[in-house]
Amino acid sequence: MKNPAGRSVIAPLNLVATALEARLSVLARKPFSTSDTQSQPMRKLTPLIFIVAVAAGFSACSGDPEQMPTTERDIHASQIQDGSAQSGRHPYQCTDGQSRFVDFKNEGLTMEVRKSYEGEPLVLNAPAQGFQYRSANLSAHFRNTNLVLVTSEGAKVVCERGRKR
């Protein structure tokens, strides 16, 4: 069994369990005198229980699971970060029959949308990651990997990434 960081969870727990088993067997063989109280064995076991709990916590939670990017912006940001993609204009083919070209700037908080590769950009801004991009007459958000543009009149255009005309 492996934790999200790819490390074995069983090996550290086996080591702790073996140490605990050895300690318990020693305590089981040791006779109690009449002057001993019942809480003395518990006082001896408490540090071991604490060690087992800490070891289990460290082995199971030694790494945060990676969040998988869910939006086109997040996918693009992760590809830029790991070097599998270059920054640049991303082509989209939209349901209105037109192409759009999108650039992300300002750590993903600004989106520039162009109707042609060298065209004048329409700049949209998001207040924070995960929020809609907005300008005076257009808003944009991602649904899965599709870009959804909504005009101030409510007309919606859905654009699919990767196709140029």
Side-chain angles (χ1 to χ4, degrees), residues 50-63:
F50 176 76
I51 290 170
V52 169
V54 168
F58 279 129
S59 66
C61 299
S62 61

Side-chain angles (χ1 to χ4, degrees), residues 88-156:
R89 283 203 185 116
H90 304 285
Y92 287 84
Q93 183 58 43
C94 302
T95 55
D96 65 358
Q98 294 185 13
S99 295
R100 302 290 196 292
F101 298 89
V102 177
D103 291 317
F104 296 100
K105 299 193 175 183
N106 188 21
E107 296 181 7
L109 297 177
T110 301
M111 175 194 298
E112 293 180 350
V113 180
R114 292 173 167 81
K115 288 190 177 183
S116 67
Y117 193 82
E118 296 297 327
E120 190 67 29
L122 175 62
V123 179
L124 296 97
N125 293 299
Q129 294 290 336
F131 285 86
Q132 277 190 348
Y133 293 91
R134 295 192 175 272
S135 72
N137 57 359
L138 187 69
S139 68
H141 65 276
F142 288 94
R143 185 181 317 131
N144 298 321
T145 59
N146 292 330
L147 173 63
V148 180
L149 303 170
V150 182
T151 66
S152 57
E153 294 85 33
K156 187 184 292 187

